[in-house]
């Protein structure tokens, strides 16, 4: 079935790294995504990873994919107050040609 | 222009009202989407239009009626809604319906709908 799971909350100190974790179920997923949603706004695609990759780095963002365990993580280096948002993990559910979103992780930043 | 616009930003309607949500993009995208997002929940796909034709209907009740008048516009007509339909309705568009990683879905800011 379709299921993408994330922890609901994460609190980090400003300047530290944030690591948001996600597990998914569709082993045939070709692409996995990380979206950011700020209050009152739509979703913004942060990054994506193709399933034949283990890691992808884009400036402060690092995505790690463990396909065997169906585990995806997003690391944000040097977390800033502007990173406060809800982060959604999503997988391409290939059999239905649609994206399935996780429940979202609310990231809050402590001074 | 990489923007998806949605109007209105907020909408309050009664259960007997008829209203419409509008979405517009000028990026030349040929796929457009409606999502419903309840509070503290992820977005759930409702409809997908590809080249102005309905491609996916996620078993959405008929009180929601999508329409794609042209390649830039997507409407969602609402009639006889229930209070549980109150949610943030998000529109998105992408180059086409393919789900390749670089076929990014651009989201609008959403319409926050309250049904009384």
């Amino acid at each position: 079935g379709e299921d993408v799971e994330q922890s609901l909350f994460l609190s980090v100190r400003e300047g530290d790294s944030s690591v948001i974790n996600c597990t998914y179920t569709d082993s045939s997923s070709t692409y996995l995504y990380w979206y950011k949603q700020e209050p009152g706004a739509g979703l913004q695609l942060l990054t994506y990873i193709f399933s034949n990759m283990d890691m992808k780095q884009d400036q402060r963002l690092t995505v790690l994919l463990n396909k065997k365990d169906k585990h995806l993580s997003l690391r944000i280096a040097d977390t800033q107050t502007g990173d406060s948002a809800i982060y959604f993990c999503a997988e391409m559910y290939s059999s239905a040609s649609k994206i399935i979103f996780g429940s979202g992780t609310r990231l809050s930043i402590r001074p | 222009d990489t923007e998806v616009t949605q109007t209105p930003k907020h909408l309050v309607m009664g259960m007997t009202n008829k209203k419409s949500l509008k979405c517009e993009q000028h990026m030349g995208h040929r796929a457009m989407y409606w999502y419903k997002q309840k509070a503290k929940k992820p977005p759930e796909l409702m409809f997908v239009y590809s080249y102005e034709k309905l491609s996916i209907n996620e078993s959405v009740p008929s009180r929601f009626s999508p329409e794609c008048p042209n390649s830039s516009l997507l409407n969602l007509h609402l009639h006889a809604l229930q209070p549980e339909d109150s949610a943030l309705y998000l529109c998105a568009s992408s180059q086409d319906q393919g789900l390749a990683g670089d076929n990014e879905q651009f989201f609008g800011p959403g319409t926050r709908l309250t049904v009384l």
Side-chain angles (χ1 to χ4, degrees), chain B residues 4 9 12 22 28 32 35 40 42 48 50 61-62 68 79-80 88-89 92 97 99 109 113-115:
Chain B
V4 176
K9 195 167 181 177
V12 179
K22 296 187 184 301
M32 295 186 76
Y35 288 85
K40 299 188 185 351
V48 181
S50 179
S62 60
C68 190
H79 174 53
L88 181 68
Y89 288 84
Q97 196 182 338
L99 287 171
L113 175 67
T114 303
V115 182

Side-chain angles (χ1 to χ4, degrees), chain A residues 2 8 30-31 33 35 37 40-45 48 86 88 92-94 96-99 101-104 106, chain B residues 9 35 37 40-45 48 56 58 88 90 97 99-110 112:
Chain A
E2 318 160 0
L8 292 181
T30 310
Y31 290 96
Y33 308 86
Y35 284 84
Q37 186 175 33
L43 278 75
Q44 174 195 1
L45 179 65
Y48 65 90
I86 299 175
F88 290 97
M92 184 189 78
Y93 195 61
S94 51
S97 297
K98 65 181 184 180
I99 294 175
F101 289 89
S103 52
R106 183 179 295 276
Chain B
K9 195 167 181 177
Y35 288 85
Q37 186 178 23
K40 299 188 185 351
K41 296 288 187 185
E44 294 178 351
L45 184 66
V48 181
I56 294 178
E58 287 288 306
L88 181 68
L90 293 164
Q97 196 182 338
L99 287 171
D102 57 356
N103 188 30
E104 179 179 350
Q105 288 189 23
F106 290 82
F107 282 81
R112 189 160 299 282

Side-chain angles (χ1 to χ4, degrees), chain A residues 14-95:
Chain A
E14 188 174 3
D16 288 351
S17 292
S18 306
V19 180
I20 303 171
N21 294 301
C22 167
T23 57
Y24 61 97
T25 55
D26 185 6
S27 58
S28 62
S29 287
T30 310
Y31 290 96
L32 295 128
Y33 308 86
W34 283 103
Y35 284 84
K36 177 183 181 183
Q37 186 175 33
E38 297 186 49
L43 278 75
Q44 174 195 1
L45 179 65
L46 285 179
T47 187
Y48 65 90
I49 188 167
F50 189 50
S51 61
N52 69 351
M53 299 169 66
D54 297 324
M55 186 183 88
K56 180 178 181 181
Q57 187 151 2
D58 183 1
Q59 299 182 341
R60 291 192 297 125
L61 305 179
T62 302
V63 178
L64 295 178
L65 175 60
N66 181 328
K67 199 172 179 185
K68 174 175 167 289
D69 295 337
K70 300 193 192 68
H71 182 266
L72 184 73
S73 68
L74 173 69
R75 179 176 178 269
I76 305 172
D78 187 24
T79 310
Q80 303 297 309
T81 54
D83 295 324
S84 292
I86 299 175
Y87 290 81
F88 290 97
C89 167
E91 65 167 336
M92 184 189 78
Y93 195 61
S94 51
S95 63

